[in-house]
Amino acid sequence: MRVCGYNKTTLLDYPEHVAATVFVGGCNFRCPFCQNSDLVLRPEVQPAIRETEILGFLEKRKGILTGVCLTGGEPTLAAGLGEFIRKVKEMGYLVKLDTNGYRPEILRGLLSAHLLDYIAMDVKNSMERYGETVGDASVDTGRIRESVHIIMESGISYEFRTTVVKELHGEKEITAIGREVEGADKYFLQSYRDSEGVMKAGFHACERNELERFAECVRPYVGGVWLRGVD
């Protein structure tokens, strides 16, 4: 598994836990608003961190950290992901997986092996605008729907989330997402933030009042709806 970085302590990435975050290189999507473009497009030029270094660090932080968050990039593309998680779980840590949901077969396998404690899945947009949003016109949205179903039936803690971009999302799209995740426990609308690492320039964040209006579009379908990353 190619690890391109890790954050030794975070209070934000794993809800209600002090955690470490492990960044896995590579992704099967090319979302133009992605802020980790180097990690997605050029993982081979990122510093490769040995698995033994991360496991050694986690061993020393037992009793201080309680969780490990695996993010990317897209972790489900990584060879050896399950074995790495197994080693982390054997240390007594809870494991959270961030995923774009495009490999439902990997999610099903990890869940069947009881290797995950929390899943955060990005639902990028309405199904009709998915290809535009992930930079792949041939995207199979059936795989997204399958992952949503698997996660909701998993019996573990989870959330769905959408990074809201003014040029890509409106009430129509957000309402459609709400219908796709109907019955979910938690859904977050995340505010887009511009940065030097963004894959393509020219995108903009929505104002708070717009995000609050979008949240109202989703509330008829989802148990809890929140804003994240809003000033």
Side-chain angles (χ1 to χ4, degrees), residues 1-7 10 12-14 19-27 34 36 39-40 43 54 68-78 81 84-85 95-100 116 118-122 124 159 161 190 228:
M1 187 172 79
R2 185 178 180 84
V3 175
C4 296
Y6 67 105
N7 183 351
T10 176
L12 301 175
D13 292 344
Y14 196 145
T21 300
V22 176
F23 295 89
V24 181
C27 188
C34 177
N36 289 333
L39 200 62
V40 168
I54 296 170
V68 175
C69 178
L70 294 166
T71 190
E74 174 51 43
T76 62
L77 296 175
L81 176 65
F84 176 78
I85 295 176
V95 173
K96 171 179 176 274
L97 177 72
D98 290 349
T99 182
N100 61 28
L116 300 178
Y118 194 111
I119 299 174
M121 176 178 161
D122 294 309
K124 303 290 187 177
E159 68 181 59
R161 59 197 188 183
Q190 302 181 157
R228 182 180 278 159

Side-chain angles (χ1 to χ4, degrees), residues 212-223:
E212 289 173 346
R213 189 172 73 249
F214 292 161
E216 291 304 314
C217 293
V218 180
R219 287 199 169 98
Y221 307 101
V222 177

Side-chain angles (χ1 to χ4, degrees), residues 63-129:
I64 300 172
L65 302 176
T66 56
V68 175
C69 178
L70 294 166
T71 190
E74 174 51 43
T76 62
L77 296 175
L81 176 65
E83 186 57 34
F84 176 78
I85 295 176
R86 196 179 307 278
K87 293 174 183 177
V88 172
K89 295 283 288 180
E90 287 172 354
M91 293 185 194
Y93 285 102
L94 299 172
V95 173
K96 171 179 176 274
L97 177 72
D98 290 349
T99 182
N100 61 28
Y102 205 63
R103 301 195 76 195
E105 66 280 6
I106 301 298
L107 290 179
R108 189 178 286 109
L110 294 173
L111 288 165
S112 295
H114 306 289
L115 293 177
L116 300 178
D117 302 285
Y118 194 111
I119 299 174
M121 176 178 161
D122 294 309
V123 182
K124 303 290 187 177
N125 211 332
S126 64
M127 296 301 110
E128 72 177 14
R129 295 193 70 180

Side-chain angles (χ1 to χ4, degrees), residues 8-9 18 56-66 93:
K8 294 183 177 180
T9 307
V18 181
F57 165 76
L58 292 175
E59 183 68 34
K60 293 176 182 177
R61 298 288 281 179
K62 282 182 180 180
I64 300 172
L65 302 176
T66 56
Y93 285 102

